[in-house]
Amino acid sequence: MRILLILGHRLNDDGTISEILKRRLDKSIELLQNICIDKIICSGGTPCKKAKISEAKRMSEYLINHNIDKKLLIEEDKSLNTIMNIIYSKKIIKILTRTIKNNNNINNKIEVYLLSSNYHLNRKIFNPVKLYKFFIHHTKLEIVGVA
């Protein structure tokens, strides 16, 4: 199973998608043209209270409006920062992993494609190697950066 995990970015005060988040979503659409993805986790809560909508909901809407099948989408709408993105998304990935095992498909490895902006991926707090260790055992992690 291949999972695309898209990390959110603060929405504009009027609830519209920021340019940074738009670039991440456009990159995810490009990636979907080249890689077969089974599930997409849109991760982001509502840190911008003025927006009155979660980043995850707005990301899902954007992807659906760009012809991405809504059955692929999972909204993680509780997180308010990068660490929470990973913690809550990890819980979703564990549920998906259990589903695979319950369907007697143990040999189906989990691959997670983590998509964010390059500046975000290069922060000390967001070191991909440390994140890999944080993710589920036997999960392959691919890092996808956006300029």
Side-chain angles (χ1 to χ4, degrees):
M1 174 178 271
R2 287 188 178 128
I3 301 166
L4 174 58
L5 170 55
I6 309 168
L7 298 186
H9 185 271
R10 188 180 189 280
L11 298 175
N12 297 321
D13 287 348
D14 64 359
T16 57
I17 291 176
S18 67
E19 186 58 35
I20 291 170
L21 184 53
K22 181 183 180 306
R23 285 196 300 268
R24 291 179 191 178
L25 294 169
D26 290 341
K27 181 68 174 183
S28 71
I29 293 166
E30 178 186 323
L31 187 68
L32 289 166
Q33 294 170 0
N34 299 310
I35 299 172
C36 180
I37 297 290
D38 299 295
K39 287 292 178 185
I40 301 167
I41 301 172
C42 298
S43 181
T46 314
C48 176
K49 299 302 178 200
K50 290 181 183 178
K52 298 180 181 169
I53 187 168
S54 72
E55 295 166 6
K57 174 60 82 180
R58 194 57 86 207
M59 289 191 287
S60 288
E61 291 172 352
Y62 185 91
L63 293 172
I64 290 167
N65 287 336
H66 287 81
N67 301 315
I68 303 303
D69 187 348
K70 67 180 176 182
K71 292 178 192 168
L72 295 177
L73 303 173
I74 299 172
E75 295 176 8
E76 181 289 294
D77 61 0
K78 295 181 180 82
S79 58
L80 300 176
N81 58 45
T82 302
I83 300 302
M84 290 174 137
N85 286 133
I86 300 305
I87 291 169
Y88 289 121
S89 295
K90 179 182 177 183
K91 290 178 183 181
I92 293 169
I93 292 167
K94 278 188 176 183
I95 291 168
L96 293 171
T97 301
R98 276 197 296 267
T99 302
I100 288 174
K101 288 181 181 176
N102 290 341
N103 290 333
N104 293 323
N105 201 356
I106 296 171
N107 292 330
N108 193 350
K109 303 254 186 204
I110 301 285
E111 294 179 45
V112 178
Y113 290 80
L114 179 64
L115 194 149
S116 190
S117 303
N118 286 329
Y119 80 88
H120 197 204
L121 294 168
N122 290 320
R123 294 187 327 189
K124 276 190 170 184
I125 195 168
F126 204 74
N127 181 300
V129 176
K130 289 180 184 176
L131 285 176
Y132 182 84
K133 291 177 183 176
F134 189 81
F135 270 93
I136 303 165
H137 189 61
H138 301 302
T139 300
K140 180 180 176 184
L141 181 66
E142 297 286 340
I143 306 297
V144 182
V146 180

